[in-house]
Amino acid sequence: MKTEHADVIIVGAGIVGNAAAYYLTKAGMKCIVLEEEMIGHGGSSRNGGGVRQSGRDPREFALAAYAAKHIWPTLSEELGVDVEYRQTGYLVFGYNEEHDKSIASRIETAASFGVYMEMKHGDEIKEICPYVSEHVTCAGWTPSDGVANPMRATLGYYIRARELGARFITGEKAIKINKIKGAARQVVTARGNVYEGDKIIVAAGYHGKFLLETVGIVVPMQKKLNEMLVTEPAPRLFDYMIGGMSGFYGQQTKHGSLVFGCPSGREYTFHELQTPISTSVTASFICESLGIDLPILKQLKVVRAWSGWVDISLDGVPVIGAVEEVPGLLVAIASTGHGFGPGPAVGYTLAQLAMDQPSPVDITKLHFDRFDYGKKQPRYFSASGGGALTR
Ligand SMILES: Cc1cc2nc3c(=O)[nH]c(=O)nc-3n(C[C@H](O)[C@H](O)[C@H](O)COP(=O)(O)OP(=O)(O)OC[C@H]3O[C@@H](n4cnc5c(N)ncnc54)[C@H](O)[C@@H]3O)c2cc1C
């Protein structure tokens, strides 16, 4: 057992934890990042690479827009790693009147944040995507959305943060937060090590829920399995992100293979498992959904499928920011399956807050205390740090 000190202790080495570590060390802060498994083990290295602002809840829109405008376009240059970011747009397909209305409402929300999105019908859709089938009756087109390479972006932040002096410790599972004089000060790990800092950032996805409970913070969330597949490389078909109201989403990567995911309805069946698995059911479902909208893709061979956990909040919107009830504690969890795109902005925001600087955008509506889920469970209970994570 040992005790180590830093200005900030970060739990979780995903895109958010790594980005926070990068921005903090760049500003001269001393940082330790604790990771239970390996760097990028969570959704951050397994996702579809969609960097999307459109279709987001107004409460989180500003963070996604900040990332798309101020961080992603220069990230490769800043990190010295090609994160394969392309601001080539996002085309979302709809199939009926209800989808038409839903896209119209997304356009309104986007406009209220200064992001241009437009409705497309018939041949207008084909002008952007000539491969689309008659099944698609409407589409939303957002030119300032884009795609990136999840693994490269997550590891890019890690590499640069390390070079700048951040310490990453893998195989180190945080099990408890200790308060000293009422403030969050220590993270205790399963090995019995103690990491002490002025600020503690919890960016541990679903497992962050249990860690927060050790200091009395309750966030209603659940875990869901998201699956993806990758095809053999194909000649260039499209450069933008594509999604469907049927649920599929994905991109053609820089080297030509197509990476797509889609919920099949089996997502919650496996939530008791510790390790994410891929199922033949979902892989077939992804192929079927894609084949209906983009028949040209039917000829491609699937090379591999994989999965990852996503941490879903009760209202589908993440929990991000300072926890005033426990001074010194900052949190970014419950990204609800769409936290990669805004991830760099979330990491930057947490770094700012950890240095007592203002958030670059308004995140007040992302506070953990917003849920109204009855009186059965308190939103905050006065824990002295007594219980440890037993999962
Ligand atoms: C298949 C799939 C497709 C997706 N597609 C997209 C997409 O196209 N666009 C998009 O925006 N989002 C997408 N997402 C969601 C996105 O990947 C996540 O929202 C985002 O990566 C979350 O980043 P994070 O850093 O908060 O968490 P994670 O990447 O989950 O990182 C958390 C880290 O904390 C570690 N950890 C957990 N518990 C502990 C502990 N007790 N102690 C120490 N470490 C711990 C984990 O091992 C993990 O490495 C997708 C997700 C999946 C799974």
Side-chain angles (χ1 to χ4, degrees), residues 371-385:
F371 300 99
D372 181 12
Y373 52 100
K375 304 239 179 283
K376 280 186 209 141
Q377 238 183 336
R379 291 165 196 183
Y380 172 68
F381 59 90
S382 174
S384 55

Side-chain angles (χ1 to χ4, degrees), residues 57-105:
D57 186 282
R59 289 169 286 177
E60 58 172 333
F61 203 107
L63 271 174
Y66 187 88
K69 194 167 179 191
H70 299 289
I71 303 185
W72 281 109
T74 50
L75 193 57
S76 295
E77 199 185 326
E78 170 147 13
L79 299 179
V81 171
D82 180 8
V83 301
E84 296 179 4
Y85 174 67
R86 288 163 286 150
Q87 197 160 26
T88 41
Y90 172 49
L91 189 64
V92 61
F93 300 147
Y95 319 109
N96 53 41
E97 234 172 79
E98 198 189 313
H99 294 155
D100 214 282
K101 282 188 195 144
S102 165
I103 290 170
S105 143

Side-chain angles (χ1 to χ4, degrees), residues 171-191:
E172 192 73 309
K173 176 182 176 180
I175 58 165
K176 187 170 183 281
I177 296 170
N178 278 340
K179 290 197 264 185
I180 296 177
K181 293 185 183 161
R185 290 283 302 182
Q186 295 179 333
V187 178
V188 182
T189 68
R191 291 174 181 157

Side-chain angles (χ1 to χ4, degrees), residues 77-250:
E77 199 185 326
E78 170 147 13
L79 299 179
V81 171
D82 180 8
V83 301
E84 296 179 4
Y85 174 67
R86 288 163 286 150
Q87 197 160 26
T88 41
Y90 172 49
L91 189 64
V92 61
F93 300 147
Y95 319 109
N96 53 41
E97 234 172 79
E98 198 189 313
H99 294 155
D100 214 282
K101 282 188 195 144
S102 165
I103 290 170
S105 143
R106 290 178 183 201
I107 291 172
E108 242 174 71
T109 305
S112 70
F113 287 90
V115 171
Y116 179 69
M117 180 179 179
E118 61 182 316
M119 178 78 83
K120 300 279 182 192
H121 290 108
D123 286 348
E124 292 170 340
I125 307 172
K126 287 209 159 88
E127 272 169 32
I128 300 174
C129 185
Y131 317 104
V132 77
S133 76
E134 297 306 317
H135 182 237
V136 176
T137 57
C138 56
W141 171 240
T142 314
S144 60
D145 282 347
V147 290
N149 182 317
M151 183 77 89
R152 284 177 158 268
T154 301
L155 296 186
Y157 271 121
Y158 157 70
I159 291 165
R160 279 300 287 146
R162 249 188 85 162
E163 282 169 3
L164 291 169
R167 213 167 140 228
F168 285 79
I169 307 173
T170 53
E172 192 73 309
K173 176 182 176 180
I175 58 165
K176 187 170 183 281
I177 296 170
N178 278 340
K179 290 197 264 185
I180 296 177
K181 293 185 183 161
R185 290 283 302 182
Q186 295 179 333
V187 178
V188 182
T189 68
R191 291 174 181 157
N193 297 324
V194 177
Y195 297 89
E196 191 165 315
D198 295 333
K199 300 280 165 50
I200 293 171
I201 294 178
V202 175
Y206 179 69
H207 302 135
K209 170 183 166 60
F210 302 100
L211 205 50
L212 292 179
E213 283 175 6
T214 68
V215 281
I217 301 300
V218 179
V219 177
M221 335 162 23
Q222 50 188 326
K223 177 168 109 170
K224 179 170 92 76
L225 195 73
N226 263 27
E227 295 187 53
M228 305 217 67
L229 55 79
V230 60
T231 70
E232 61 185 328
R236 179 108 339 241
L237 295 167
F238 43 82
D239 211 22
Y240 38 85
M241 189 189 178
I242 293 191
M245 290 290 188
S246 54
F248 77 79
Y249 56 93

Side-chain angles (χ1 to χ4, degrees), residues 15-16 43-44 47 50 52 55-57 59-60 204-207 219-226 247 249 263 267-268 308-320 332-343 346 366 370-371:
I15 183 105
V16 172
S44 294
N47 67 67
R52 170 177 65 76
R56 287 188 184 266
D57 186 282
R59 289 169 286 177
E60 58 172 333
Y206 179 69
H207 302 135
V219 177
M221 335 162 23
Q222 50 188 326
K223 177 168 109 170
K224 179 170 92 76
L225 195 73
N226 263 27
Y249 56 93
E267 284 64 40
Y268 289 101
W309 298 117
V310 290
D311 42 337
I312 309 287
S313 80
L314 191 67
D315 61 1
V317 174
V319 170
I320 297 170
I333 56 172
S335 56
T336 311
H338 49 253
F340 173 69
V346 177
L366 301 176
R370 67 178 185 266
F371 300 99

